[in-house]
C-alpha cells in the first residue's frame, strides 16, 4: 500500500509524499527497502527532514482504565534538509533496519489476529510535521521463533490472538517500551489444567529470550493462578533441541507442582 497526503500545514498546493516499499515482508533484525517520492507543489519550500518509523498498536494499563494507542518505534531519519522547488520530484531510496524486538504479525502466511504494524513516513516543512498514512508491513518469525511456535502447534495448542502491551518484563533484557504476547488455546491433553498459554519473545542478534505464562484453571479447593517459565534460545543452535519434548516436560512439571493433574 502506498500513501499520498497533502501537507496539511502548507494547504492547497503544498508538497505531497508517496512511499513505496519494495517488499512489505520482513523479519526482526532484517530490513525494509523502498523509495520515498516527494513532489513539489505550487511554491518552493524547505524540507527540514524526512523520517520513517514503524507503528504498532499497544495496550496500556492505566489505573482502572485500559486503552489502546499507536506506538512508533525504530524511528530513522532518512534524509537531511533540502530545497524543494515548485513541481520538482525528489526521489529518496531508503533502507530501514527493523528492530530485533519487533512484534510478529504473520505466521505461515496467516495474519495473527489482533496485530497491527505499519511503516509511517514523516515530513517536516516550516516546523509543521505531516505524518502520512501507514504502509502495512508483515513481520514473519525468525527460525528460532518459528521452531518454538511449531513445537506448540505440534503439541496441539491452537493460536487464539496476539497483542502488544506497554511495559517491561521483570528480569528480561528489553530495549523497546513494550512486548508482545502470543496467546494459545490449550492442547487437549492440558485442557483440564490450563486456560491459556501466552508466549513472549525478546530477541537480540545472538539469542531469543522466551517467556511462557500459563493461566491455570482453579480446582474445587484451589485458586487459579499464573505460572511463568523463562529460557534462552541461541539462533545458532536452535535446531539441536526437540522443542516439543522440552515444552511438554516443562508444562507437565509446572502443572504438577501446583497439584493440578491431567
Amino acid at each position: 500500500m502506498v500513501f499520498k497526503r497533502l501537507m496539511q500545514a502548507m494547504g492547497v498546493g503544498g508538497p505531497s509524499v508517496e512511499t513505496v516499499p519494495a517488499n512489505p515482508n520482513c523479519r526482526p533484525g532484517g530490513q525494509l527497502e523502498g523509495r520515498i517520492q516527494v513532489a513539489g507543489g505550487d511554491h518552493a519550500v524547505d524540507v527540514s527532514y524526512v523520517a520513517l518509523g514503524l507503528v504498532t498498536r499497544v495496550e496500556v494499563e492505566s489505573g482502572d482504565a485500559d486503552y489502546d494507542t499507536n506506538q512508533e518505534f525504530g524511528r530513522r531519519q532518512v534524509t537531511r534538509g533540502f530545497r524543494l522547488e515548485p513541481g520538482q520530484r525528489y526521489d529518496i531510496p531508503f533502507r530501514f533496519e527493523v528492530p530485533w524486538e519487533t512484534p510478529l504479525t504473520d505466521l505461515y502466511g496467516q495474519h495473527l489476529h489482533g496485530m497491527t504494524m505499519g511503516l509511517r513516513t514523516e515530513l517536516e516543512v516550516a516546523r509543521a510535521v505531516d505524518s502520512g498514512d501507514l504502509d502495512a508491513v508483515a513481520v514473519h518469525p525468525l527460525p528460532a521463533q518459528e521452531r518454538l511456535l511449531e513445537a506448540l502447534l505440534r503439541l496441539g495448542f491452537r493460536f487464539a490472538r496476539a497483542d502488544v502491551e506497554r511495559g517491561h518484563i521483570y528480569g528480561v533484557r528489553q530495549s523497546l517500551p513494550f512486548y508482545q504476547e502470543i496467546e494459545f488455546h490449550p492442547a487437549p491433553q492440558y485442557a483440564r489444567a490450563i486456560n491459556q498459554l501466552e508466549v513472549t519473545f525478546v530477541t537480540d542478534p545472538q539469542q531469543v529470550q522466551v517467556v511462557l505464562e500459563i493461566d491455570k484453571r482453579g480446582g474445587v479447593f484451589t485458586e487459579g493462578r499464573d505460572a511463568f517459565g523463562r529460557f534462552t534460545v541461541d539462533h545458532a543452535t536452535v535446531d539441536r533441541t526437540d522443542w516439543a519434548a522440552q515444552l511438554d516436560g516443562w508444562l507437565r512439571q509446572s502443572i504438577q507442582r501446583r497439584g493440578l493433574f491431567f
Side-chain angles (χ1 to χ4, degrees), residues 184-196:
F184 290 88
H185 296 299
Q189 64 268 34
Y190 311 107
R192 291 179 57 191
I194 298 177
N195 279 321
Q196 68 179 18

Side-chain angles (χ1 to χ4, degrees), residues 139-190:
V139 185
H140 302 268
L142 291 162
Q145 297 169 324
E146 196 168 49
R147 298 296 181 274
L148 270 295
L149 296 172
E150 283 177 350
L152 289 173
L153 296 176
R154 290 206 310 273
L155 288 172
F157 285 87
R158 293 174 293 112
F159 173 73
R161 66 183 305 276
D163 62 12
V164 179
E165 298 190 11
R166 182 174 292 176
H168 288 78
I169 303 172
Y170 178 78
V172 174
R173 297 189 308 275
Q174 184 182 333
S175 61
L176 294 180
F178 54 75
Y179 56 91
Q180 182 181 37
E181 289 185 338
I182 304 175
E183 301 175 9
F184 290 88
H185 296 299
Q189 64 268 34
Y190 311 107

Side-chain angles (χ1 to χ4, degrees), residues 26-29 54-58 71 73 98-106 111-112 114-118 137-142 145 162-165 176 178-182 200-203:
C26 64
R27 298 180 190 273
L54 282 172
V55 177
T56 191
R57 186 170 59 235
V58 175
Q71 173 86 50
F73 66 102
V98 180
W100 284 95
E101 293 179 21
T102 298
L104 307 179
T105 67
D106 288 70
H111 183 75
L112 299 183
M115 288 304 304
T116 298
M117 186 72 62
V137 170
V139 185
H140 302 268
L142 291 162
Q145 297 169 324
D163 62 12
V164 179
E165 298 190 11
L176 294 180
F178 54 75
Y179 56 91
Q180 182 181 37
E181 289 185 338
I182 304 175
T200 294
F201 297 120
V202 182
T203 307

Side-chain angles (χ1 to χ4, degrees), residues 83 109 220:
R83 182 75 169 176
V220 177

Side-chain angles (χ1 to χ4, degrees), residues 37 54 65 104 112 130 138 154 162 187 190 206 210 221 226 237:
Q37 296 174 340
L54 282 172
L104 307 179
L112 299 183
D130 179 74
R154 290 206 310 273
Y190 311 107
Q206 287 75 42
V210 184
F221 303 107
D226 294 341
T237 60

Side-chain angles (χ1 to χ4, degrees), residues 11-12 14 47 71 86 110 116 132-133 145 149 194 245 253 255 258-259:
V12 177
V47 177
Q71 173 86 50
Q110 298 296 316
T116 298
D133 299 328
Q145 297 169 324
L149 296 172
I194 298 177
Q253 289 178 10
I255 292 169
R258 299 280 183 171

Side-chain angles (χ1 to χ4, degrees), residues 7-35:
M7 285 288 294
Q8 295 177 354
M10 297 302 298
V12 177
S16 63
V17 183
E18 184 174 332
T19 300
V20 186
N23 185 345
N25 298 284
C26 64
R27 298 180 190 273
Q31 295 180 336
L32 288 165
E33 298 184 4
R35 309 188 78 80

